[in-house]
Amino acid sequence: MSTKLTELADWVDSVASRTRPAEIHWCTGSAEENASLVNGMLDSGDLLELNQATHPECYLHRSDPDDVARVEHLTFVCTRDRDAAGPNNNWMAPDEAHALMDELFEGCMEGRTMYVIPYCMGPIESPFSRLGVEITDSAYVVANMRLMTRMGSEALARIEREGRFVRGLHSTGELDPDQRYIMHFPEELSIQSYGSGYGGNALLGKKCHALRIASYQARTEGWLAEHMMIVGIENPQGETRYVAAAFPSACGKTNLAMLIPPEPYRSAGWKVHTIGDDICWLHPGKDGRLYAINPEAGFFGVAPGTSNKTNPNALAMLDREAIFTNVAVTDDNQPWWEDLDDRVPALDWKGRPYDPENGPAAHPNSRFTVSIDRCPSYTGESENPAGVPIDAIIFGGRRAALAPLVMEAEDWAHGTFLGAAMASETTAAATGKVGVVRRDPMAMKPFCGYHFGDYWGHWLDVGSKLEHPPKIFQVNWFRRDGDGKFIWPGFGENLRVLEWIMKRCAGEVEARETPVGNLPERNGISTAGLSSEPDLDTLLSVDGREWLGELDEIEKHLEAFQPRVPDALLDWLRKLRDRLSK
Ligand code: GTP
Ligand code: SPV
Ligand code: MN
């Protein structure tokens, strides 16, 4: 197979003449193709078979121990104008980046197969979907892209019809952290990634295309590409409202996207419909509402912490046709990770006999890859080419203190301010220190393909054109008590907070006005059926002095993006400070 689209054929030829692969394989996405790739990886050791009796068609991949997370310090946005990338991105001049990458790619696929992966981000028939082609020398990338995107012949047919596609070139190279770069050329609609085989660095449809390149395109085209999950919440009256939520990496999107209503909600008739768990493309509709599609077709989820207590829907889909990366295994070769259950693992993520002295058995950023339609709460609305209408946008993060359980913004500009001011403790999803509070506006710090000042301006712009904008909220599931324990039970119980949010959207419940935003009344969050009463006084408190300190921090943070910070955000900063100082 090849293609009738000259532009694509020429590009593949030029890549092949630089990288010099032994073979070129055009991916169709068929089951036979996948089976043969899997067999090849079992032979090469790139995949290990897991217990096929308990986990049919499930495989384990152990990555290089130095290649287990996104590498933000090696990720670049290469625009002609340095300021366009903003202080939120590493920048390199396009010429310099191309020279560097050309050298790395020279002959790098010798003796290997080069795979050409045509893919479509979003439903094949949706006008909002975008196309891409990833060239890679990793069969593991192909197998993951098959689960994560609409990949293969149908995507290629649309690419040939439209002629426009994002060009992604990837090679695992030598896996040397000093020869590793993830380069984005938004003006050329291209991505080049070298030296890593890990998820967000290598599956180029995901963060590289669907966020960094797409956010850049979305700005010029009047839409938003966001790091958000999408979920439909159906109340006992049978009304479904859709919510999009931006939490930083490893801060709860996958869990919220597929939560199971706790008792007594379940028996009352509440239902949850999963649309997406990581990326959301938002388009203003003709009716003045905002519509969301999930550009992905699968999950690349955090394994540790996933259990029958926390996320039963995830466990239900992980017993077949899943790829596990850097998890541990039990003595009968089942995948295992911390907090899954009481079993003791036999081998850790590096394949060594498990010894607690060596740290956790599964890498803290170990992941599972699985197709979205395996999720018990999956809804066919996920395939709706028009997307689903969004009633509420939620921003959230990991904050041990200050940030209340839930707060409603007074209007779109206030909500944009809350998003721009977001902070969260860092996690193992990226290399670097874990648990340090950093500003992560809209959970897009690692993913926005242009200057944050311009991005916030674009948010305000999109909102101002919506006749019926979603309400914006902020949540925090991660407030801790004096002993360092989470105060809020979280997971399925988060539906209690979503209930308040849904009722605010429907105008069915009052809020308590505070100087920083609207909070639930003391009895606004139902605790019926909880085994112990959480400390809602702390969870819903607003400490004026602490907040004034927070505003000082926010001011410093915004300062770094001047002179491009929109006035409307500075107005909100002043307004909140005035109120709190009174
Ligand atoms: P990325 O895939 O990296 O973007 O992460 P994510 O935002 O989808 O996070 P995910 O839902 O995978 O959760 C990450 C970790 O946080 C897991 O270990 C979860 O068990 C834990 N977690 C998720 N929701 C909650 C919650 O409500 N409370 C607490 N305490 N932990 C949670
Ligand atoms: C994240 O880090 O936000 C992820 C995993 O969702 S990755 O694909 O590596 O970006
Ligand atoms: Mn993510």
Side-chain angles (χ1 to χ4, degrees):
M1 195 178 95
S2 83
T3 180
K4 55 185 188 219
L5 183 66
T6 322
E7 257 187 281
L8 174 54
D10 289 351
W11 175 58
V12 170
D13 281 349
S14 75
V15 168
S17 63
R18 182 175 302 282
T19 58
R20 300 193 288 276
E23 260 180 86
I24 301 180
H25 177 91
W26 288 73
C27 299
T28 62
S30 72
E32 300 73 49
E33 176 183 78
N34 186 60
S36 115
L37 285 172
V38 165
N39 282 333
M41 286 189 278
L42 289 171
D43 288 344
S44 68
D46 280 334
L47 287 186
L48 302 168
E49 205 163 71
L50 288 164
N51 186 323
Q52 295 296 300
T54 57
H55 292 74
E57 290 179 65
C58 285
Y59 304 97
L60 167 65
H61 173 74
R62 291 197 185 115
S63 68
D64 186 280
D66 282 328
D67 185 34
V68 293
R70 283 181 294 100
V71 282
E72 296 180 4
H73 60 297
L74 303 173
T75 300
F76 290 78
V77 168
C78 309
T79 42
R80 282 190 297 268
D81 169 21
R82 177 175 201 145
D83 288 340
N88 43 305
N89 281 301
N90 300 311
W91 176 85
M92 200 182 286
D95 289 352
E96 192 187 332
H98 277 303
L100 178 74
M101 298 308 277
D102 283 354
E103 197 165 318
L104 291 172
F105 281 115
E106 193 66 43
C108 73
M109 297 186 189
E110 265 168 18
R112 317 178 60 172
T113 301
M114 177 174 114
Y115 301 95
V116 182
I117 314 172
Y119 63 85
C120 178
M121 299 310 287
I124 290 275
E125 298 305 332
S126 172
F128 303 141
S129 299
R130 292 298 148 104
L131 302 152
V133 176
E134 173 166 358
I135 296 180
T136 179
D137 53 10
S138 161
Y140 168 79
V141 165
V142 179
N144 277 274
M145 285 290 283
R146 179 168 175 271
L147 294 170
M148 301 291 305
T149 71
R150 284 116 176 139
M151 174 271 254
S153 308
E154 279 187 54
L156 181 60
R158 183 164 165 183
I159 290 169
E160 289 175 337
R161 265 198 322 271
E162 292 187 11
R164 208 165 112 101
F165 61 95
V166 169
R167 295 157 191 231
L169 171 55
H170 168 256
S171 171
T172 47
E174 297 80 34
L175 295 174
D176 173 359
D178 293 326
Q179 303 274 300
R180 179 174 294 163
Y181 295 97
I182 324 296
M183 299 285 192
H184 302 75
F185 304 91
E187 290 148 341
E188 302 167 18
L189 297 187
S190 81
I191 304 155
Q192 298 200 345
S193 165
Y194 187 89
S196 168
Y198 170 77
N201 304 328
L203 310 176
L204 301 186
K206 196 171 175 60
K207 297 307 182 16
C208 300
H209 178 168
L211 288 179
R212 297 194 193 94
I213 299 288
S215 62
Y216 182 96
Q217 284 185 293
R219 181 190 172 204
T220 60
E221 297 170 2
W223 52 284
L224 293 164
E226 299 298 326
H227 189 202
M228 292 176 174
M229 53 66 87
I230 312 163
V231 69
I233 309 290
E234 184 178 337
N235 67 17
Q237 293 76 52
E239 301 156 342
T240 300
R241 291 175 188 275
Y242 294 94
V243 175
F247 307 158
S249 303
C251 290
K253 292 182 299 301
T254 300
N255 277 266
L256 193 64
M258 56 188 76
L259 73 79
I260 292 186
E263 285 303 337
Y265 285 77
R266 206 175 334 160
S267 39
W270 288 81
K271 295 192 181 88
V272 166
H273 306 287
T274 306
I275 305 267
D277 82 325
D278 198 51
I279 302 182
C280 168
W281 287 354
L282 291 162
H283 284 262
K286 288 201 182 70
D287 59 358
R289 302 179 74 183
L290 202 51
Y291 284 79
I293 64 161
N294 170 15
E296 301 190 279
F299 306 117
F300 184 60
V302 176
T306 307
S307 74
N308 251 327
K309 275 201 210 102
T310 59
N311 191 352
N313 273 339
L315 273 201
M317 63 183 173
L318 293 180
D319 61 359
R320 72 182 159 92
E321 292 168 65
I323 299 173
F324 295 86
T325 300
N326 294 333
V327 300
V329 290
T330 59
D331 55 8
D332 63 346
N333 208 23
Q334 297 189 44
W336 192 90
W337 48 81
E338 270 62 25
D339 296 329
L340 171 60
D341 54 33
D342 295 337
R343 287 174 299 172
V344 177
L347 302 179
D348 71 8
W349 65 278
K350 292 183 178 171
R352 298 173 297 191
Y354 173 60
D355 178 353
E357 293 281 306
N358 291 330
H363 187 276
N365 191 39
S366 52
R367 301 253 167 183
F368 54 79
T369 320
V370 67
S371 174
I372 188 170
D373 54 15
R374 298 264 3 262
C375 183
S377 53
Y378 167 79
T379 166
E381 278 302 305
S382 194
E383 284 292 331
N384 188 338
V388 294
I390 296 295
D391 277 307
I393 286 176
I394 305 177
F395 294 122
R398 281 180 191 264
R399 295 291 301 263
L402 184 86
L405 180 62
V406 59
M407 174 162 91
E408 179 196 290
E410 292 170 31
D411 60 20
W412 183 272
H414 183 209
T416 304
F417 172 85
L418 292 179
M422 260 173 73
S424 190
E425 294 155 22
T426 51
T427 65
T431 54
K433 260 206 167 132
V434 168
V436 186
V437 175
R438 73 161 180 182
R439 296 288 151 188
D440 189 349
M442 281 84 170
M444 284 286 277
K445 165 77 185 73
F447 309 120
C448 183
Y450 63 103
H451 196 297
F452 261 152
D454 297 336
Y455 170 72
W456 300 325
H458 183 52
W459 259 82
L460 292 166
D461 216 41
V462 168
S464 70
K465 289 181 183 134
L466 294 172
E467 205 181 320
H468 308 289
K471 273 180 172 289
I472 299 181
F473 298 82
Q474 179 191 294
V475 301
N476 178 23
W477 315 141
F478 299 95
R479 188 98 171 220
R480 292 178 192 258
D481 65 16
D483 299 329
K485 289 213 190 74
F486 293 122
I487 305 177
W488 178 247
F491 302 104
E493 310 298 348
N494 293 332
L495 185 60
R496 299 169 186 276
V497 176
L498 291 177
E499 178 187 20
W500 186 77
I501 290 175
M502 298 295 88
K503 287 187 169 162
R504 285 298 292 166
C505 291
E508 290 171 2
V509 65
E510 291 299 308
R512 176 166 67 96
E513 287 178 17
T514 81
V516 291
N518 299 328
L519 270 77
E521 302 278 10
R522 180 61 184 77
N523 60 0
I525 303 289
S526 165
T527 55
L530 278 178
S531 57
S532 68
E533 199 67 21
D535 178 5
L536 279 171
D537 287 329
T538 301
L539 290 169
L540 298 176
S541 63
V542 173
D543 179 323
R545 214 171 38 101
E546 269 185 70
W547 270 97
L548 277 169
E550 173 78 355
L551 290 182
D552 290 344
E553 293 297 318
I554 293 171
E555 182 172 29
K556 269 190 255 165
H557 152 66
L558 294 180
E559 200 58 48
F561 299 95
Q562 285 295 27
R564 300 198 187 200
V565 179
D567 287 340
L569 299 191
L570 301 173
D571 290 346
W572 266 102
L573 179 70
R574 258 190 304 274
K575 183 142 106 183
L576 296 177
R577 196 176 261 149
D578 287 351
R579 288 177 182 173
L580 286 161
S581 313
K582 283 207 184 104

